[in-house]
Amino acid sequence: MEDVRIKVEGMTCQHCQMQVHDAIAVLDGVTMVRVDIEAGEATVSYDSSKIDLEQIKQAVRDTGYQVLEEVEVCPVPTPDGMKLMTESLASMPVGAEVKDEAPPAGPKIAPSPPGRIETTTIGVTGMTCASCVQNIERGLGKLDGVLKVSVNLTTEKGTVEYDPGRITVHDIIKAVTDIGYGAEEIKGVDADREREAREKEILSQKRNLILALILAVPVSVGEMGQNIAPLVNAIPGIMGFLGNDYFQFIFATLVMLLPGRQFFSGAYKGLMHGATDMNLLIAAGTGSAYLISTASVFLDLGTGFEHKYFGTAVMLIAFIVLGRYMEANSRGKTSEAIKKLMGLQARTARIVVDKTEREVPIEDVKPGDMVVVRPGEKLPVDGIVVEGRSALDESMLTGESIPVEKNMGDEVIGATINKTGSFKYRATRVGSDTALAQIIKLVEDAQTSKAPIQRIADIVAGHFIVTVMSIALVAFFYWYFIGFERLDIAANYGIASPFLAALLIAITVLVIACPCAVGLATPIAVMVGTGKGAENGILIKGGEALETAQNLDTIVFDKTGTLTRGEPQLTDVVPGGGVSEDTVLMLAAVAEKGSEHPLGEAIVKGAAARGIDIPNGQDFNAIAGHGVQVTYEGSRVLLGTRKLMTDNGMDPAQLNNSMEAMENDGKTAMLIAKDNWIMGVIAVADTLKEHSAEAVKYLQEMGITTVMITGDNRLTAEAIARQVGIDRVLAEVLPQDKAAEVKKLQAKGQKVAMVGDGINDAPALMQADIGIALGSGTDVAMESAQIVLIKDDLRDVVSSIELSKRTMGKIKQGLFWAFAYNTAGIPLALGVFGPYLIAPALAALFMAMSSVSVTANALLLKRFKLKRQEVV
């Protein structure tokens, strides 16, 4: 046995991967093949007595791909281990994978790093109800190497966590297709693909609907004409033709084979793999009516079988296809947030190649490329400005409409719009690494993930099919053996055959009980809710976060950078007697002009903002812990603490009251003196963000406890808390202890959200029931949080909670009406209140309308106004 890794060049998609895999797997002597498209290699185990390496390489070349000469020979097992492995491999089919249970003497083929877990997203087609979701999740969950599966009916996507050392994406996709659904791997963000897939589905169902109606209406009219004498007498020629048994059979057969084929093929594939779904109910219902009618056309079944039910079967198909067409249109509306985000992307980029500008597709831009942007153009990728300057419209990312100035060295974000000058920048993040792509991925993941309440609904709906089949069977036997004679169906309803009467009721039960609405209620609402959030700069990472947020009763805010701006600003200038504010501020700015301390920078910026000219001082001297000293126009200028003044023979008592008032407000107060004369007080503080107090007020009105946590001293912390209206202060908390404080709150039974922006907030964000990070914060904080506020507006904390409550309300409404519909519909279909209150075709229409009504109710979330929108 020989084991090698072959480098393969040219693979670009899942189809390429399968072609290479199949080309090698069919070779005599090859016992195992694994193709990794990401690594661009194929790992092959083969018997060198039957085939050599060159033949394997040639097989790859014959498929149209290049084989690089570098071939890595994997470690060869020991003789005993080789014998055991050979025997094990010989008993496996071609292309099978060595499992973990293989003898340990030989190393595993193409081992992955220990603990390596990868996630892939697959697009799934052919799903119609929650049972389909259950079938796929159950099937994939049984695969060795698959760790976690989540499939979303509405987005038609599934995320799979797997161990690449034990299973490949190819194996996962094959498992889905074996069950009877279409599947392909989704890589990166492709707006065109998303749009084409959605349009293809809508067009397909539209064609099916038109064809079903064209064929079904004449059959249905002809069936009615058999029983309505005035119709036959009024237009005897046409009605006679439409009511002809052979005409009805031909048209009904076309309906079954064309628009109805999807239901029968889906039911067959599912049954072959032990899976039951909505297709089985539809196929059983329509197929029964069609078969009994066909038998009565060509066979003499006796009295009671003169009437045919082709019209019932075809109208069932038509109404169900109508429902699917309407659902496809509705699903398209739920993903508008993703479409809008994708629409922000540029399609091409202008890069510099050999000193000339060349326009290339955005996919061809690589990190390090020099990108040229002209006024009015979208930036294709993220990067750093290296030449020129401009102002960019970053409203797509921040929500701020005012253009942001960009100079050399500044970071720029892809999909933002260049407003004024031309500039060049070096690409740093491209493709799926750009900020926009990450946001889109975050929203997609959120819409694919499931809320806990949805998992319960899926499980219930998954078992519901078998229950409905059982109920329909019981109903059939009851009406066949008991109900037919007890209610004298022959006399009251004109059906002479107990078999036909029982069959019609069983068909009605099968059709009316399809759990489509149950399966759609939660994912539709989650999609609209997370999409609404994304449109307004609130990124919610999944259904679980959306569900948990509604139950929060305590919000913990980090102070610096969250409630406050995170950088000191000049707040007060109080002059002593006989001097102006501008003079005091000018002298303070002169003293701090040579300083790099944040407090000094705040004073200099504050003076510049007031239009004060700041001359240079000489002999700058920083006095550690006390302040600074400079010489200006031959005079000594001091700026600093009381002690600095007293050490230099000055008494600050006259300004003590002003200083204490500032310090009680959490400000840093400094005295300014010239030639042993104290001229005034300068105060600097980390000021509150614009909407901090407003956000806290809203939260308290909602009955939520607000807490501020900070490493600052208690005096400063309590001063800030008073300004913002915070209920409780946790001061002098070390960064590593923030998570412990959150844990203490949780131990009291509180549902806690942590709002922060820094690296030191990450543990607390992870510990909290919900972590909320600001978009201006660090990447670590945003990775640790379940909700990210892109716009840095703390009112979005309120909006997140309100959005959660609204979304969960829609989910509960949808589930209530879906279950209520089935609870009420099944007894009606069973004939509890009298048989034939609901005919099969009418039941199909009701079933379709229930799914559409649940979807329409969820779409009302789009009208929800966020808190800051209400204020505006």
Side-chain angles (χ1 to χ4, degrees), residues 467-479 502 506 509-510 830:
T467 303
V468 170
M469 296 291 289
S470 302
I471 292 174
L473 197 60
V474 170
F476 175 84
F477 285 120
Y478 170 80
W479 286 101
V509 171
L510 291 174
L830 285 170

Side-chain angles (χ1 to χ4, degrees), residues 282-350:
I282 297 170
T286 58
S288 300
Y290 172 78
L291 289 175
I292 195 66
S293 300
T294 300
S296 66
V297 169
F298 296 99
L299 302 173
D300 184 7
L301 300 180
T303 305
F305 288 87
E306 296 86 358
H307 187 79
K308 313 301 185 296
Y309 295 94
F310 288 122
T312 298
V314 296
M315 288 311 293
L316 278 173
I317 295 290
F319 282 136
I320 293 168
V321 171
L322 170 64
R324 289 202 172 178
Y325 171 64
M326 295 175 73
E327 284 176 24
N329 269 315
S330 298
R331 289 181 190 178
K333 293 179 182 179
T334 63
S335 58
E336 284 179 1
I338 293 289
K339 292 177 183 176
K340 287 180 181 178
L341 288 172
M342 288 179 172
L344 296 173
Q345 294 176 308
R347 290 283 179 263
T348 60
R350 190 179 295 103

Side-chain angles (χ1 to χ4, degrees), residues 817-834:
W817 288 112
F819 281 117
Y821 167 82
N822 281 320
T823 302
I826 291 177
L828 286 173
L830 285 170
V832 171
F833 305 103

Side-chain angles (χ1 to χ4, degrees), residues 372-556:
V372 180
V373 185
R374 295 170 183 166
E377 294 181 341
K378 286 183 181 179
L379 276 64
V381 295
D382 300 356
I384 302 292
V385 178
V386 295
E387 183 182 320
R389 57 181 297 175
S390 184
L392 301 186
D393 178 359
E394 295 185 341
S395 57
M396 53 74 61
L397 191 67
T398 65
E400 297 295 335
S401 57
I402 301 174
V404 180
E405 291 290 332
K406 297 292 180 180
N407 299 297
M408 285 182 59
D410 289 342
E411 183 178 2
V412 292
I413 305 298
T416 55
I417 300 173
N418 182 27
K419 302 294 287 185
T420 55
S422 298
F423 64 95
K424 294 179 181 179
Y425 71 98
R426 186 178 68 256
T428 55
R429 291 182 295 187
V430 302
S432 60
D433 294 328
T434 63
L436 178 63
Q438 291 297 315
I439 290 173
I440 294 174
K441 181 68 165 59
L442 201 62
V443 177
E444 283 186 327
D445 289 346
Q447 295 188 341
T448 305
S449 68
K450 292 187 179 183
I453 193 172
Q454 182 183 343
R455 297 188 181 279
I456 297 172
D458 283 351
I459 291 171
V460 171
H463 295 291
F464 195 60
I465 301 293
V466 176
T467 303
V468 170
M469 296 291 289
S470 302
I471 292 174
L473 197 60
V474 170
F476 175 84
F477 285 120
Y478 170 80
W479 286 101
Y480 183 78
F481 290 108
I482 301 173
F484 186 81
E485 292 186 2
R486 177 176 291 181
L487 294 179
D488 198 4
I489 298 299
N492 293 326
Y493 298 96
I495 298 179
S497 167
F499 177 82
L500 280 178
L503 181 64
L504 286 175
I505 289 179
I507 290 171
T508 304
V509 171
L510 291 174
V511 173
I512 205 169
C514 288
C516 302
V518 176
L520 286 171
T522 301
I524 288 286
V526 169
M527 280 192 70
V528 177
T530 53
K532 180 72 175 179
E535 288 175 9
N536 292 276
I538 303 172
L539 302 183
I540 302 172
K541 298 181 182 179
E544 187 169 353
L546 196 62
E547 183 171 339
T548 303
Q550 65 167 338
N551 299 317
L552 294 173
D553 54 31
T554 303
I555 308 288
V556 179

Side-chain angles (χ1 to χ4, degrees), residues 802-856:
E802 290 187 333
L803 186 60
S804 168
K805 290 181 177 180
R806 291 293 185 94
T807 303
M808 291 308 299
K810 289 299 181 185
I811 289 174
K812 290 172 182 176
Q813 290 170 20
L815 289 175
F816 171 80
W817 288 112
F819 281 117
Y821 167 82
N822 281 320
T823 302
I826 291 177
L828 286 173
L830 285 170
V832 171
F833 305 103
Y836 311 114
L837 286 177
I838 299 180
L842 194 57
L845 182 60
F846 285 171
M847 182 203 71
M849 291 303 102
S850 71
S851 298
V852 173
S853 64
V854 165
T855 302

